[in-house]
Amino acid sequence: MKWLRENGRLSFVVLLVSQLAATMGFTFVLPFTPIYVQELGVTDAGSAAAWAGVVNSSTAVTMGLAAPLWGRLGDRVGLKPMLLRATVAGAVVVGLMGLVESPWQLLALKTLQGCLTGTVAAATVLVSATAPPERAGERLGTLQMVIFAAAAGGPFFGGVFADLVGIRASFGVTATLLAASAVLIFAWVKEERPAEDEAEEEGAGALGPLPHRRLLPSLLALFVVQLAIMSAAPALPGFIHTLMEEPVRVASLAGWIIATGALAASLGSVVGGRLAARFGARRVIIWTLLLAGISALPQAEVDSVALLWVLRVVTGLFLGIAVPVANLAIRGTVPSERQGEAFGVAATATSAGNAVGPVAGGMLASSFGFGAPFLVPGVCLVVVSLLLWGAPLLAVGYRMALRHH
């Protein structure tokens, strides 16, 4: 037990368990919004899908707007209270969703959810600020692994539960999981920053604006990763349908591909921190985005479900590496007392990907066919990786041009 208590290990392990419960809770009900909307009176399947898109995007939009404000407040009052706020608010708001009687009420609560929650961002900044410097990459990667694994398991168990008991009861399960997560955080998670960080804070002067130019590569990476993940989801069932001579178990196959892709991402998250320590965060981000894009491009032209599955797993692996490395780069860009604000901005970038991805994927599929939501994100990943690679060269060329003038 002494080993477990050293360097905040016990607090970190409990935090991991709490985020496993919280993320599984949120994803327990998220994929079944169209079905719930139909139960609320929107009988047409197309209208229900449109309602579901608006409802889910409203959470991402309001979360993106609120995250920097919560991050700034966390720098002032503490990071643990912000994680507790997000978790308790989630338990209350999601629990109330199981009692609504109209899609408008659901939309209002989903909008409120975005304003008040954000457990992943709050947990990430808490881990970043409290981890010993030599353990930061490992712990951020492990946290992201747990989040990806929970995101894979939540929809699977949620679907089984919804079929057996009903979707309304599923919201109660989510609320219970979030409440359990809040208890774990309150009782055992500590906010103890490393001694060297405390020394830096004592010598810190007046705070200026965040170094947005230095943060931009990580923010771009987080945005395009989330865009690539979310844009394929609306088109996946329809694409699978076109690849099968006799379409059967399409929903199950789509769920399997999404879940295994998330599990591959969780595996990538574990090794991301180690790769960054060896090769540098910038280089790892550039190469993982490039390789993810290259593996995504041929998905638009596959002729079998098996090949699509293999390529999605490979893409998921590289995307999983990129996320914790981008977070690690953010940690190294700002001082400890500014990390809440910086990770709040990062949460905005992620939320933007969450909001744009499903809408863009649906529009691309309807306008250009089911392959487009896989092709276009692949191009975006490759373009962003090349931009990040070329940006320092452009900056050097610009400075040399100024000297000549």
Side-chain angles (χ1 to χ4, degrees), residues 195-267:
E196 50 265 50
D197 281 353
E198 291 172 5
E200 288 176 10
E201 288 178 21
E202 289 174 4
L207 299 180
L210 285 175
H212 288 95
R213 184 176 297 180
R214 293 171 59 198
L215 288 171
L216 185 59
S218 297
L219 300 181
L220 268 176
L222 291 172
F223 169 76
V224 76
V225 164
Q226 209 61 31
L227 179 73
I229 292 172
M230 299 302 294
S231 61
L236 189 59
F239 194 25
I240 291 173
H241 192 279
T242 65
L243 295 174
M244 303 175 69
E245 293 183 5
E246 297 181 4
V248 292
R249 299 183 292 108
V250 171
S252 298
L253 283 171
W256 168 256
I257 291 174
I258 292 172
T260 51
L263 288 175
S266 71
L267 177 62

Side-chain angles (χ1 to χ4, degrees), residues 39 43 108 132 135 146 151-152 265 296 303 309 319 321 326 332 351:
E39 288 189 8
T43 54
R135 296 285 185 185
V146 168
D303 56 6
W309 170 66
L319 294 178
I321 294 173
S351 296

Side-chain angles (χ1 to χ4, degrees), residues 24-37 39 153-174:
M24 282 197 71
F26 279 120
T27 58
F28 200 77
V29 293
L30 181 64
F32 313 107
T33 305
I35 302 173
Y36 192 43
V37 167
E39 288 189 8
F156 173 77
F157 293 110
V160 173
F161 187 87
D163 287 338
L164 293 175
V165 182
I167 295 179
R168 284 189 181 273
S170 298
F171 288 96
V173 172
T174 293

